[in-house]
């Protein structure tokens, strides 16, 4: 049994120390680690690791009784005279072999860059290659592609930031952009070589087979090496167990977007039907595009995608801001002769993007204006979907769609952005609307043209002005736009246009100024993300409502963390005692009230009903703002109350929630989506702290349908308006129901990721683990649905119907 608790998950050299070898994996509980080089004992340091998620900790029942550890072995500088490194798990007189490796294998790896290939696609038909992965070294790692004659290929290697990779190498700072993406075409020969070279000249080489035989042999060799390495480290039995597990996991692997997209685009037959469709309302759509020395290949692809539209009442308005001697003048002349719906305005002087786009708008005669970039592509059904939406929702003045990224050559599609319906606070965090964006020309006339002072984020500023002027905003949850990703594009290389992010910050500031909200805007954790801090005119009283039954250690930890860390001073506590049985609990209440004048304990004498208990406690509250808080929480950041209050004091906001972690630093709550788990559930559960989630949404302030009441601030005015929490939901879903009531009253619900707490969940009342509790749980599901039948009949507006409801990670819905 103990041998089954031995597994090596990772083994590697330190990047900055060739004498330190790291081994991470599982050994039996209470065991320590010893290492030997041909019988010579080596120094070893061992540290127990906290599992990053419950799934990791309990992924296999056989791991119960084991511990995940990280051991660092100190090797001598010269190991050439040795044969084997062997590492053992040791307890008292028992020694179990955990890991072994030949020194010749260590020497091959020592000092070289470490890398991982995540995607390798060879297409024998068009002789193309896509390669994606990461590389890390003790210094900058240069990545180049060579042919089988060892000659360098002229292929762009796109680099990107990877927080997950940075987190793997804690011993030193690695490249800011360790990720790489390579796309090559018209390849010849049988092999290519990916060479990753550090500044000191040491390199790692990865061979890629191009021919069918070489590809198959390469895959076979890759799997053989992985299996052999795993068997050497863990033994034959462990290899068989892992193989069986991998086979089972294949059926549950994440959906591949490259496979998903073709199945969700219209078929040729469907496109033909669209071409024949006659809409009752058939507005002309003007697609406006600013051009500046555009590559002919890109411009042709854009124009072809417009001409391929199944909805034909369009015009393409091109403004060539390239100036005199425009390199695309001849192509533009040819394009306009081929289709009378294509119009061009030329300029003697070079134009920047806002005035160039405005020039295109000046020749537009359509009822709606659609915006596109000069190097991107529209899906064939893009305008059809827009017009269909306008017929179904004739009041619409603004439309936007989902989008993805497109490779340089325009033949590969990846990184889809499946967006929520209109989400004001997400828009104030990131320009999530972006493409495709369509606006009614009458509305454009009211809000004005694009403003040159916001060049780089002129679209962001324009979107803000549009959504301020109308509530009739419609989101089409379909991929209608392909955003080309290349080295100069902000789609793949944000730093290529740093000025754009400064302009984006000013666009948000201008939005707040126009609507009369005092706020300061800062750049967020990533380029393109922003953070808002609201400025208060005064510090209102906050009433913190904490229900409690015994568990005085939890309550003390909760209150102590508030008292010791909080920088906000104007608050009171209402502790709602409910059904405690221990005498020390009541003694603690008296002592607490005596030492802290902010504390008041009130006594609920009915049966447990979370809604009624909170409503009872709130009846004693004096604050303008109520802070519902579980007793099994502990605050992390000192300005948590200011962050909650900043959003909650906005007139349009009723409720603000927080980012909560389990004790093991994994996410417990980052917003709530209706439909998760069949009814409603928390977002990004068990994601490691530091992960940012799908499209960085863990770290984005945004609107959700609901947030948990484990930490929830609500306006007293909003609480009174909806009549508090619903007593017919005694234990579960009362916070979901309450959020829906507040939303129904016209307020927004905001998730603020900058309010962080630990939540030691379920310590207060246990789990749904008896027939009686399960029956009550089922009844409360039915009660919640009966309160909101229309809401639960539709997809959650703050989610996207293309994403799965079977997990909380915002992954694609299975085909």
């Amino acid at each position: 049994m103990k041998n089954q608790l031995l597994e090596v998950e990772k083994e590697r050299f330190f990047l900055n120390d060739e004498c330190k070898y790291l081994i991470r994996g599982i050994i039996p509980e209470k065991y320590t680690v010893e290492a030997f080089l041909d019988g010579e004992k080596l120094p070893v340091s061992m540290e127990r690791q906290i599992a990053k998620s419950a799934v990791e900790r309990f992924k296999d029942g056989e791991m119960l009784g084991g511990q995940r550890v990280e051991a660092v072995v100190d090797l001598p500088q010269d190991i050439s005279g040795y044969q084997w490194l062997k590492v053992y798990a040791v307890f008292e007189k028992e020694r179990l072999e955990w890991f072994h490796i030949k020194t010749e294998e260590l020497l091959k790896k020592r000092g070289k860059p470490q890398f991982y290939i995540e995607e390798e696609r060879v297409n024998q038909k068009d002789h193309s290659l896509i390669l994606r992965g990461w590389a890390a070294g003790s210094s900058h790692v240069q990545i180049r592609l060579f042919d089988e004659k060892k000659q360098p290929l002229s292929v762009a290697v796109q680099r990107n930031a990877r927080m997950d990779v940075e987190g793997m190498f804690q011993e030193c700072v690695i490249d800011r952009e360790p990720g790489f993406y390579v796309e090559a075409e018209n390849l010849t020969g049988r092999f290519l070589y990916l060479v990753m070279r550090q500044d000191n000249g040491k390199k790692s080489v990865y061979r890629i087979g191009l021919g069918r035989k070489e590809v198959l042999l390469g895959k076979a060799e890759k799997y053989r090496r992985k299996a052999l390495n795993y068997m050497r480290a863990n033994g034959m039995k462990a290899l068989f167990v892992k193989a069986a597990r991998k086979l089972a996991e294949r059926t549950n692997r994440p959906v591949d977007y490259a496979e998903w997209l073709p199945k969700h685009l219209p078929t040729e037959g469907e496109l033909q039907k669209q071409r024949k469709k006659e809409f009752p309302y058939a507005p002309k759509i003007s697609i406006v595009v600013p051009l500046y020395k555009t590559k002919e290949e890109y411009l042709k692809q854009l124009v072809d995608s417009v001409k391929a539209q199944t909805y034909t009442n369009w015009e393409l308005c091109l403004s060539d801001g390239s100036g005199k001697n425009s390199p695309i003048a001849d192509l533009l002349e040819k394009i306009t002769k081929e289709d009378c719906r294509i119009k061009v305005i030329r300029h003697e002087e070079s134009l920047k993007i806002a005035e160039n786009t405005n020039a295109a708008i000046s020749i537009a005669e359509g009822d709606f204006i659609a915006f596109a970039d000069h190097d991107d592509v529209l899906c064939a059904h893009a305008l059809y979907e827009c017009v269909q939406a306008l017929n179904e929702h004739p009041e619409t003045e603004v439309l936007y769609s989902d989008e993805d990224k497109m490779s340089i050559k325009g033949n590969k599609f990846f990184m889809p952005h499946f967006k929520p319906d209109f989400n004001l606070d997400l828009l104030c965090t990131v320009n999530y609307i972006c493409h495709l964006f369509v606006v009614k020309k009458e509305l454009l006339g009211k809000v004005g043209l694009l403003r040159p002072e916001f060049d780089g984020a002129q679209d962001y500023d324009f979107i803000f002005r549009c959504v301020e002027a109308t509530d009739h905003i419609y989101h089409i949850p379909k991929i209608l736009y392909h955003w080309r990703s290349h080295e100069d594009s902000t789609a793949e290389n944000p730093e290529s246009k740093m000025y754009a992010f400064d302009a984006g910050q000013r666009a948000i500031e201008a939005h707040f100024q126009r609507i009369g909200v005092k706020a300061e805007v800062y750049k967020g954790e990533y380029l393109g993300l922003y953070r808002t801090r609201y400025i208060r005119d005064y510090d209102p009283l906050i009433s913190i409502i904490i229900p409690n039954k015994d568990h005085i250690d939890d309550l003390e930890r909760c209150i102590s963390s508030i008292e010791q860390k909080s920088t906000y001073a104007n608050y009171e506590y209402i502790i709602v005692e409910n059904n405690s049985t221990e005498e020390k609990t009541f003694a603690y209440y008296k002592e607490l009230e005596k030492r802290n004048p902010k504390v008041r304990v009130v006594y609920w004498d009915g049966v447990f009903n979370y809604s009624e208990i909170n409503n009872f406690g709130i009846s004693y509250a004096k604050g303008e703002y109520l802070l519902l808080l579980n007793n099994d929480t502990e605050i992390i950041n000192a300005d948590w109350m200011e962050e909650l209050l900043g959003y909650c004091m906005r007139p349009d906001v009723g409720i603000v929630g927080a980012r909560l972690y389990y004790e093991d630093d994994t996410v417990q709550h980052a917003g709530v989506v209706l439909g998760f788990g069949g009814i409603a559930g928390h977002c990004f559960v068990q994601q490691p702290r530091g992960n940012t989630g799908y499209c960085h949404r863990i770290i984005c302030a945004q609107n959700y349908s609901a947030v948990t009441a484990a930490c929830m601030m609500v306006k007293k005015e909003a609480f009174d308006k909806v009549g508090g929490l619903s007593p017919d939901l005694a234990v579960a879903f009362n916070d979901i129901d309450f959020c829906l009531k507040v939303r129904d009253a016209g307020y927004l619900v905001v998730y603020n990721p900058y309010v962080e707490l630990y939540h030691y969940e379920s310590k207060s009342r246990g789990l749904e683990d008896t027939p009686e509790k399960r029956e009550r749980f089922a009844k409360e599901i039915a009660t919640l649905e009966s309160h909101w039948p229309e809401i639960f009949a539709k997809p959650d507006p703050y989610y996207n119907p293309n994403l799965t409801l079977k997990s909380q990670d915002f992954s694609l819905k299975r085909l």
Side-chain angles (χ1 to χ4, degrees):
M1 178 61 185
K2 290 189 174 67
N3 282 308
Q4 295 175 14
L5 294 171
L6 293 166
E7 182 176 354
V8 173
E9 298 171 328
K10 180 195 303 179
E11 39 95 13
R12 64 173 180 85
F13 276 104
F14 271 35
L15 292 177
N16 61 348
D17 192 336
E18 296 182 357
C19 293
K20 291 191 181 295
Y21 200 75
L22 180 147
I23 307 162
R24 187 176 191 268
I26 296 166
I27 63 174
E29 195 73 47
K30 297 183 180 180
Y31 279 60
T32 57
V33 175
E34 291 182 356
F36 296 85
L37 203 56
D38 288 354
E40 182 181 318
K41 192 171 183 179
L42 301 175
V44 180
S45 61
M46 187 190 91
E47 185 176 322
R48 183 165 184 160
Q49 301 292 299
I50 296 175
K52 291 188 175 180
S53 72
V55 173
E56 185 180 57
R57 190 188 301 141
F58 301 116
K59 68 178 181 180
D60 188 319
E62 293 178 346
M63 287 185 187
L64 296 172
Q67 58 176 328
R68 180 172 276 103
V69 300
E70 193 169 88
V72 178
V73 180
D74 288 333
L75 296 168
Q77 186 66 46
D78 183 8
I79 59 173
S80 58
Y82 297 91
Q83 289 188 316
W84 287 95
L85 168 66
K86 294 188 177 182
V87 183
Y88 299 89
V90 179
F91 178 66
E92 295 179 346
K93 295 181 180 180
E94 187 171 22
R95 176 179 293 170
L96 306 172
E97 186 173 304
W98 183 35
F99 172 77
H100 62 261
I101 187 171
K102 285 187 175 181
T103 53
E104 62 187 69
E105 294 296 322
L106 290 173
L107 289 168
K108 288 178 185 177
K109 299 196 293 183
R110 195 175 208 177
K112 295 180 180 179
Q114 297 174 34
F115 68 95
Y116 186 72
I117 305 299
E118 295 167 318
E119 180 181 12
E120 179 183 340
R121 291 191 190 181
V122 176
N123 189 323
Q124 273 98 29
K125 291 182 180 179
D126 60 6
H127 306 287
S128 65
L129 166 72
I130 286 179
L131 205 62
R132 189 190 301 272
W134 58 261
S138 57
S139 59
H140 172 66
V141 179
Q142 183 189 54
I143 301 175
R144 298 189 69 184
L145 206 58
F146 292 80
D147 63 20
E148 61 184 340
K149 296 179 181 178
K150 309 295 175 66
Q151 296 300 308
L153 297 180
S154 181
V155 174
V157 178
Q158 298 180 44
R159 305 297 293 267
N160 51 73
R162 291 284 300 269
M163 280 191 66
D164 57 330
V165 178
E166 290 179 35
M168 289 168 55
F169 298 98
Q170 298 293 321
E171 67 267 23
C172 66
V173 177
I174 63 171
D175 279 331
R176 275 198 330 115
E177 296 181 319
F180 62 81
Y181 174 79
V182 181
E183 184 177 327
E185 292 185 337
N186 302 317
L187 300 171
T188 59
R190 297 179 304 152
F191 297 102
L192 292 179
Y193 297 93
L194 185 73
V195 178
M196 295 150 282
R197 188 189 304 270
Q198 293 179 159
D199 290 342
N200 63 8
K202 291 191 175 183
K203 63 184 180 183
S204 294
V205 180
Y206 179 74
R207 192 172 81 161
I208 305 152
L210 296 180
R212 180 175 175 81
K213 179 181 177 183
E214 286 75 21
V215 169
L216 291 174
L217 288 174
K219 286 183 177 179
E221 176 61 15
K222 180 180 177 181
Y223 289 129
R224 188 191 70 84
R225 285 184 180 178
K226 286 182 72 174
L228 190 60
N229 289 339
Y230 190 85
M231 185 183 70
R232 278 200 292 243
N234 300 289
M236 180 65 76
K237 183 176 181 180
L239 176 62
F240 283 131
V241 171
K242 183 165 186 177
R245 186 185 299 151
K246 286 286 184 183
L247 191 61
E249 288 173 355
R250 282 184 67 84
T251 59
N252 297 313
R253 74 180 191 274
V255 177
D256 185 342
Y257 181 65
E259 298 175 5
W260 183 95
L261 181 61
K263 296 178 181 180
H264 287 78
L265 291 175
T267 64
E268 187 54 43
E270 290 169 331
L271 293 174
Q272 289 293 349
K273 287 182 180 178
Q274 290 180 9
R275 292 185 182 100
K276 296 175 182 177
K277 177 75 176 279
E278 293 184 8
F279 287 103
Y281 175 52
K284 177 181 279 190
I285 299 180
S286 300
I287 305 163
V288 298
V289 184
L291 307 175
Y292 182 80
K293 298 180 180 180
T294 310
K295 287 186 179 182
E296 289 195 0
E297 177 189 3
Y298 297 168
L299 181 54
K300 287 177 182 176
Q301 287 182 12
L302 169 64
V303 172
D304 287 345
S305 76
V306 174
K307 291 168 73 173
Q309 291 299 305
T310 57
Y311 179 78
T312 57
N313 191 15
W314 55 261
E315 63 176 2
L316 178 58
C317 303
L318 305 173
S319 174
D320 184 9
S322 307
K324 287 183 179 180
N325 304 316
S326 169
I328 54 175
D330 293 343
L331 177 59
L332 289 174
E333 186 172 350
K334 179 184 176 185
I335 287 170
T336 53
K337 287 179 180 178
E338 291 175 349
D339 196 317
C340 63
R341 294 173 296 179
I342 301 176
K343 302 154 71 172
V344 176
I345 183 170
R346 297 172 175 83
H347 309 277
E348 288 295 311
E349 302 295 329
S350 296
L351 298 183
K352 291 186 177 179
I353 190 165
E355 56 184 347
N356 203 12
T357 307
N358 290 340
I361 294 171
S362 72
I363 60 172
E365 298 176 337
D367 303 293
F368 282 81
I369 306 295
F371 294 82
D373 289 343
H374 65 163
D375 51 1
D376 296 340
V377 167
L378 275 66
C379 294
H381 61 308
L383 299 186
Y384 176 92
E385 293 290 348
C386 291
V387 175
Q388 181 162 282
L390 290 171
N391 277 268
E392 293 173 355
H393 307 277
E395 73 284 357
T396 300
E397 295 185 285
V398 168
L399 301 103
Y400 67 95
S401 76
D402 297 340
E403 64 188 296
D404 63 13
K405 292 181 183 176
M406 176 176 66
S407 62
I408 298 171
K409 295 296 182 182
N411 58 347
K412 310 291 182 184
F413 306 98
F414 54 97
M415 291 182 69
H417 186 184
F418 292 109
K419 308 167 187 177
D421 290 350
F422 183 61
N423 191 320
L424 177 60
D425 284 289
L426 184 60
L427 185 63
C428 291
T429 302
V430 61
N431 182 8
Y432 81 93
I433 288 179
C434 216
H435 309 294
L436 176 68
F437 184 71
V438 182
V439 61
K440 195 170 187 177
K441 195 173 183 183
E442 288 180 10
L443 182 65
L444 185 148
K446 293 178 184 177
V447 305
L449 297 170
L450 278 66
R451 302 197 288 183
E453 60 267 35
F454 291 95
D455 264 345
Q458 72 291 331
D459 55 342
Y460 201 6
D461 169 69
F462 180 68
I463 289 169
F464 272 120
R465 288 186 283 128
C466 288
V467 300
E468 289 164 19
T470 183
D471 293 327
H472 303 304
I473 304 162
Y474 188 79
H475 164 228
I476 302 170
K478 296 182 180 182
I479 298 289
L480 301 183
Y481 192 98
H482 302 306
W483 187 5
R484 194 180 303 271
S485 171
H486 53 84
E487 289 184 349
D488 294 326
S489 165
T490 49
E492 187 64 26
N493 181 17
E495 292 184 353
S496 66
K497 296 182 180 178
M498 280 297 299
Y499 71 92
F501 303 107
D502 295 330
Q505 182 176 345
R506 289 187 286 106
I508 303 170
E509 291 169 342
H511 160 68
F512 285 128
Q513 288 168 6
R514 285 191 300 272
I515 64 173
V517 172
K518 296 178 182 178
E520 296 174 339
V521 180
Y522 303 86
K523 290 187 178 68
E525 295 177 47
Y526 290 87
L527 292 172
L529 300 185
Y530 301 93
R531 176 179 182 180
T532 299
R533 286 195 174 101
Y534 293 92
I535 300 169
R536 304 182 305 280
D537 291 327
Y538 68 106
D539 289 345
L541 178 66
I542 298 172
S543 297
I544 304 174
I545 314 299
I546 309 177
N548 188 74
K549 176 184 177 182
D550 294 319
H551 293 285
I552 58 176
D553 291 340
D554 288 341
L555 181 58
E556 175 62 22
R557 178 182 57 208
C558 175
I559 292 176
S560 294
S561 71
I562 295 171
E563 293 298 303
Q564 293 167 15
K565 295 181 182 178
S566 295
T567 50
Y568 192 82
N570 193 18
Y571 60 90
E572 65 172 359
Y573 297 99
I574 306 295
I575 311 299
V576 190
E577 153 57 33
N578 64 99
N579 302 304
S580 292
T581 58
E582 299 175 6
E583 289 185 11
K584 63 180 181 180
T585 300
F586 298 94
Y588 171 78
Y589 290 152
K590 290 181 181 178
E591 186 269 332
L592 182 61
E593 286 182 304
K594 185 176 181 180
R595 67 176 155 94
N596 191 332
K598 292 183 176 182
V599 174
R600 180 178 182 183
V601 181
V602 297
Y603 295 83
W604 169 258
D605 59 3
V607 298
F608 180 84
N609 183 307
Y610 181 84
S611 296
E612 290 188 336
I613 288 167
N614 276 281
N615 291 343
F616 174 75
I618 289 167
S619 70
Y620 292 89
K622 300 174 183 176
E624 289 181 62
Y625 294 86
L626 310 172
L627 178 45
L628 279 59
L629 191 66
N630 277 24
N631 63 347
D632 55 352
T633 56
E634 180 180 2
I635 73 164
I636 295 173
N637 56 307
D639 61 346
W640 70 298
M641 274 194 271
E642 290 94 332
E643 284 288 347
L644 289 166
L645 197 56
Y647 280 93
C648 210
M649 289 182 75
R650 260 176 36 196
D652 58 337
V653 174
I655 288 174
V656 186
R659 178 165 31 162
L660 305 180
Y661 303 105
Y662 288 114
E663 190 172 4
D664 64 355
D665 276 321
T666 60
V667 172
Q668 189 263 345
H669 170 269
V672 170
V673 165
L674 305 181
F676 279 171
I679 184 70
H682 294 182
C683 303
F684 303 109
V685 173
Q686 296 177 350
Q687 293 278 323
R689 185 176 179 180
N691 278 19
T692 62
Y694 179 72
C695 294
H696 300 306
R697 284 187 67 171
I698 292 176
I699 60 171
C700 288
Q702 62 198 282
N703 306 121
Y704 272 113
S705 289
V707 292
T708 179
C711 177
M712 171 197 287
M713 180 173 282
V714 57
K715 272 188 177 73
K716 181 66 161 57
E717 166 196 300
F719 181 89
D720 292 339
K721 189 173 182 179
V722 303
L725 282 76
S726 300
D728 56 350
L729 291 165
V731 180
F733 307 120
N734 34 59
D735 48 1
I736 310 298
D737 176 78
F738 179 63
C739 287
L740 294 179
K741 290 203 293 186
V742 170
R743 278 185 56 214
D744 192 53
Y747 296 97
L748 293 173
V749 174
V750 177
Y751 159 70
N752 185 350
Y754 300 105
V755 182
E756 297 180 273
L757 298 87
Y758 285 111
H759 182 203
Y760 308 102
E761 189 183 31
S762 294
K763 287 185 178 179
S764 300
R765 64 173 179 84
L767 302 171
E768 318 300 341
D769 53 2
T770 66
E772 294 78 13
K773 288 183 178 181
R774 284 194 289 270
E775 182 182 357
R776 187 262 309 150
F777 188 74
K779 285 181 179 178
E780 291 189 323
I781 289 176
T783 300
L784 178 64
E785 290 180 326
S786 70
H787 285 186
W788 308 102
E790 292 184 5
I791 286 180
F792 282 99
K794 300 175 183 177
D796 189 322
Y798 296 112
Y799 197 50
N800 187 293
N802 295 294
L803 303 178
T804 185
L805 294 173
K806 293 184 178 179
S807 70
Q808 303 97 340
D809 59 0
F810 286 49
S811 56
L812 270 174
K813 185 185 291 183
R814 197 156 291 280
L815 300 172

